[in-house]
Amino acid sequence: MSRTSSSAAGTGPIRLGPRSRAALRPTEAPAVTGGFWYGRRLTNAQAGIPQGPRLLESAGNLHNLRLVAGKAQGAFRGDYPFQDTDVYKWLEAASWQLAQDTVAGRDTTALTAEVDRVITLVAEAQQEDGYLNTWFQSGRGAGRYSDLRWGHELYNAGHLIQAAIAHHRATGRTELLDVACGFADHIGTVFGPPGSGRPIDGFDAHPEVETALAELYRETGDQRHLDLAGYFVDRHGHGLHGHEAYCQDRVPLREADTVEGHAVRQLYLLAAVADLAIETGEESLAAASARLWHAMATTKTHLTGGVGAHHDKEDFGDPYELPTERAYCETCAAIASVQFGWRMALLTGQARYSDLVERTLFNGFLAGMSLDGESWLYVNPLQVRDGYVDGGGDQSSRRTRWFRCACCPPNVMRLLASMEHYLTSTDGRGLQIHQYASGVFHGEAGGAPVDVSVDTEYPWRGRIAVTVERTPGTSWTLSLRIPQWCTEYTVGGVAADAHVDVEDGWLRIHRSWSAGEELLLDLELAPRLVSADPRVDAVRGCVAIERGPLVYCLEQADHPGGGLDDVVIEAGGALTAKERPDLLGGVVTVVGTGYRRSLPEPGWWPYVPAGSPQAPGTPLELVAVPYFAWANRTLGSMRVWLPTS
Ligand code: FUB
Ligand code: ZN
């Protein structure tokens, strides 16, 4: 077994300190021990993460590290100045996996050896003054910090810092943290406001270093890191990148009223804004992050939680501009949305943020990884038309083993490997369960530990059993999020003397608990149809099928004898959930009724006078599968939104 520090293994990507001003804190040492997410995380642990070093080797990322360390010959391999981040994201994922394995008492020898090998390469690539970027070090580009719009040097640094924090928290070891602190210190000598004596007043057009520096402050207690994060955030919107929205530079953050520009850039920046609001208590930052989250959730988020409406700049569209087949919904943007949303949940204590986190996790995020954990989607459209053939690769609706721009796969790995830390929180007066997964979770009430275990087959079944495992002799509050999609639920096992409140998405049960007490929350999971705000023109006249937190789609594979362009749903027809252990690794399908329209032969002109009679359709049983499981069979069409006529 490797050398580890078990106390470090208890904390995840966010560790708040005593001076952090958040309504809630992440809980320590959560463990997912069974059920849906356990299965997905096992696939990540057994198929996703182990293939990382091999893929990083064949894509050239590890070669690049050796190259700049003088231990390999040749040229830089790859097309991007952010190739190193694939290594860092993998290291972060592997570190969280080590933490999990340590908590579970599993053997970490093999993964530790791989991590150590890669960390050695990273450390050897670092320059004397702390700088580290294999693209620029190998002579690509015009030199250090010559291109803050595209160079990604600080974005690279951000992922290095996050990997190092994960490694330190998982293992108690400092090799990678030393590298990261060296780079962070170097950045602090280079960037600063006019008059600071530092040579560059600027920021990286791809945020990431900001949220990483905030966490490095939490890890080390070094105030300089938080100040640098604040400086970078403050410099957005003052024209250093030509006031370009793509670069998050159109307006100063505190004045912005909507999310815009490149979706991942926007949301990593907002994660940092939430971090800064938590650490500094600055009201205007808290207000801006809440305002921008609201603008995103109400007008710029697809049903799946995915964000990003344009392929060309990977960016947000206008309000309600939410196309289906051209939805971009990059997997990384879903991850960034989860990171931002979770920080907002901690900052405010409000359940709505975790509602969107849930939707995004189960749909827009999870679709990014294949069922076998070995291939990926970069973009996550809500429709693939009949006969649509794309060229494969990064912007494809086909799953691919790795991408030329491989930002998404290791990003999925790191979120899945650390996901237990996004499920529960404590406010010092009890425990809040934001997401339902079988496991063991720890909170705090009046300085004393409280432990609960959760047992559930969610999202397939709505029953969630929560057992109090450890409790002090005093009363405390167990808070259960009632999901936004849920209109009916029951709670069993509530003692007569409990004080029960329902407020703003939380069911709060306050009492002096006894160990062994069990609550049964039953969320009604009947399949339902949803429609969109009429301003979402792309799906006007359409409905989508949902069940619990899952968005459903039709796939061609379940509708032989034709495609899906001609399919119509009978909106008043019955919807029936069917357990299908034989399908897609075991799912619940939703069966509905509809028909195939008779489509006219294509003429020279695809329009006819409104109200022209339509030929009768052919009845069709519709079999909807969870969106996260699509694109795991033969290539074919897919659609989430279904026309009603
Ligand atoms: O620029 C780095 C990453 O590559 C972005 O976050 C992704 O959108 C992709 O463009
Ligand atoms: Zn990506």
Side-chain angles (χ1 to χ4, degrees):
M1 296 286 282
S2 63
R3 182 168 68 86
T4 58
S5 140
S6 54
S7 59
T11 55
I14 302 175
R15 186 169 67 198
L16 302 186
R19 283 182 298 161
S20 308
R21 279 96 145 182
L24 312 175
R25 289 163 189 274
T27 52
E28 292 207 357
V32 174
T33 54
F36 180 85
W37 285 116
Y38 182 83
R40 296 286 70 213
R41 282 154 53 85
L42 198 61
T43 301
N44 188 43
Q46 294 181 341
I49 292 173
Q51 69 185 334
R54 196 171 63 250
L55 293 164
L56 293 167
E57 195 65 79
S58 65
N61 309 62
L62 300 183
H63 159 83
N64 294 337
L65 292 165
R66 287 190 204 99
L67 180 68
V68 303
K71 300 205 162 169
Q73 302 290 314
F76 180 92
R77 287 179 53 200
D79 296 320
Y80 300 105
F82 50 87
Q83 300 283 137
D84 300 348
T85 57
D86 303 339
V87 178
Y88 302 147
K89 286 183 203 168
W90 180 81
L91 276 174
E92 186 184 337
S95 297
W96 294 131
Q97 189 60 45
L98 285 176
Q100 247 188 76
D101 291 346
T102 303
V103 169
R106 290 188 285 259
D107 185 1
T108 59
T109 313
L111 188 55
T112 298
E114 284 291 65
V115 166
D116 287 354
R117 185 171 72 84
V118 176
I119 288 177
T120 302
L121 295 180
V122 172
E124 288 174 350
Q126 185 169 37
Q127 297 194 313
E128 276 294 303
D129 63 356
Y131 182 85
L132 179 47
N133 179 294
T134 61
W135 171 273
F136 288 97
Q137 283 171 247
S138 62
R140 303 286 290 260
R144 285 185 184 189
Y145 308 122
S146 56
D147 182 4
L148 292 177
R149 184 182 194 281
W150 183 240
H152 285 79
E153 285 146 297
L154 306 187
Y155 169 77
N156 273 266
H159 280 298
L160 169 62
I161 292 167
Q162 289 179 334
I165 292 170
H167 186 250
H168 186 230
R169 289 181 184 167
T171 66
R173 288 169 41 185
T174 59
E175 297 93 318
L176 195 59
L177 191 62
D178 291 343
V179 176
C181 287
F183 199 178
D185 289 346
H186 160 79
I187 293 167
T189 66
V190 174
F191 289 88
S196 65
R198 285 167 249 153
I200 303 178
D201 175 30
F203 64 90
D204 194 314
H206 199 313
E208 172 63 14
V209 76
E210 299 81 358
T211 185
L213 283 168
E215 201 61 39
L216 191 59
Y217 157 76
R218 292 173 181 147
E219 185 67 10
T220 62
D222 187 337
Q223 179 72 31
R224 290 174 310 151
H225 300 314
L226 189 68
D227 294 344
L228 191 56
Y231 156 73
F232 284 136
V233 166
D234 288 349
R235 294 307 282 137
H236 286 258
H238 297 282
L240 291 169
H241 288 287
H243 286 293
E244 258 191 86
Y246 178 80
C247 301
Q248 303 302 319
D249 193 35
R250 197 178 62 79
V251 288
L253 199 276
R254 292 169 184 77
E255 294 164 26
D257 58 7
T258 190
V259 287
E260 62 183 2
H262 186 275
V264 184
R265 294 174 187 232
Q266 171 72 92
L267 296 176
Y268 283 165
L269 178 62
L270 287 173
V273 174
D275 282 326
L276 284 161
I278 289 172
E279 296 308 331
T280 65
E282 189 189 316
E283 270 306 314
S284 65
L285 289 176
S289 49
R291 185 169 70 243
L292 294 174
W293 182 91
H294 182 76
M296 174 180 80
T298 54
T299 68
K300 297 193 180 184
T301 301
H302 287 81
L303 189 66
T304 54
V307 288
H310 299 158
H311 277 239
D312 54 351
K313 287 190 174 170
E314 309 186 302
D315 60 355
F316 284 103
D318 289 338
Y320 304 107
E321 183 192 355
L322 295 164
T324 57
E325 71 269 44
R326 294 299 290 163
Y328 196 63
C329 295
E330 181 183 340
T331 304
C332 284
I335 292 165
S337 172
V338 168
Q339 293 178 342
F340 173 39
W342 178 234
R343 284 164 173 78
M344 291 305 293
L346 296 175
L347 173 67
T348 65
Q350 291 172 9
R352 72 184 69 161
Y353 297 107
S354 295
D355 281 328
L356 183 56
V357 167
E358 172 176 69
R359 178 170 289 272
T360 310
L361 284 174
F362 275 112
N363 302 288
F365 160 69
L366 192 53
M369 180 176 88
S370 63
L371 292 178
D372 64 9
E374 299 207 346
S375 58
W376 314 91
L377 284 175
Y378 187 121
V379 299
N380 294 278
L382 279 74
Q383 180 180 8
V384 176
R385 289 184 176 278
D386 293 345
Y388 177 73
V389 179
D390 61 24
D394 298 4
Q395 302 205 335
S396 170
S397 51
R398 298 180 192 171
R399 295 191 182 275
T400 312
R401 282 283 284 164
W402 200 242
F403 304 114
R404 208 166 56 97
C405 171
C407 49
C408 304
N411 220 357
V412 173
M413 292 177 198
R414 72 181 182 135
L415 179 55
L416 272 178
S418 58
M419 216 187 117
E420 70 271 37
H421 297 284
Y422 293 79
L423 309 180
T424 53
S425 64
T426 182
D427 58 358
R429 286 167 289 148
L431 181 74
Q432 301 80 40
I433 304 184
H434 298 248
Q435 311 296 345
Y436 296 110
S438 293
V440 182
F441 304 96
H442 314 280
E444 188 206 313
V450 299
D451 299 350
V452 302
S453 61
V454 176
D455 187 23
T456 182
E457 290 175 65
Y458 192 80
W460 306 125
R461 300 197 173 157
R463 169 167 278 220
I464 297 146
V466 182
T467 306
V468 175
E469 303 289 353
R470 178 157 58 154
T471 177
T474 51
S475 51
W476 54 276
T477 306
L478 177 63
S479 302
L480 306 175
R481 185 178 60 87
I482 303 302
Q484 158 266 347
W485 53 262
C486 178
T487 50
E488 272 180 54
Y489 65 90
T490 58
V491 210
V494 181
D497 65 351
H499 183 77
V500 181
D501 261 339
V502 181
E503 51 158 348
D504 207 15
W506 288 111
L507 173 70
R508 301 198 193 276
I509 306 167
H510 183 79
R511 80 180 229 92
S512 184
W513 302 87
S514 309
E517 254 184 86
E518 185 186 72
L519 286 180
L520 281 179
L521 174 64
D522 240 307
L523 304 174
E524 172 57 55
L525 287 189
R528 59 188 185 274
L529 293 181
V530 294
S531 57
D533 183 295
R535 284 165 286 201
V536 186
D537 290 275
V539 298
R540 198 179 293 179
C542 293
V543 293
I545 298 172
E546 293 185 338
R547 179 173 182 268
L550 299 178
V551 174
Y552 278 70
C553 66
L554 303 188
E555 279 200 290
Q556 195 171 354
D558 302 303
H559 302 89
L564 297 178
D565 286 0
D566 57 355
V567 164
V568 176
I569 186 169
E570 272 170 24
L575 293 175
T576 313
K578 284 202 174 153
E579 297 204 6
R580 291 285 306 273
D582 57 312
L583 190 67
L584 294 166
V587 295
V588 173
T589 60
V590 176
V591 178
T593 54
Y595 59 94
R596 285 190 190 282
R597 284 179 66 153
S598 306
L599 296 180
E601 282 303 309
W604 73 274
W605 185 236
Y607 307 101
V608 294
S612 300
Q614 287 179 15
T618 322
L620 181 68
E621 182 182 74
L622 305 183
V623 179
V625 297
Y627 175 77
F628 76 77
W630 86 278
N632 280 285
R633 295 178 282 179
T634 49
L635 287 180
S637 40
M638 178 277 290
R639 64 187 310 155
V640 169
W641 289 102
L642 309 173
T644 54
S645 64

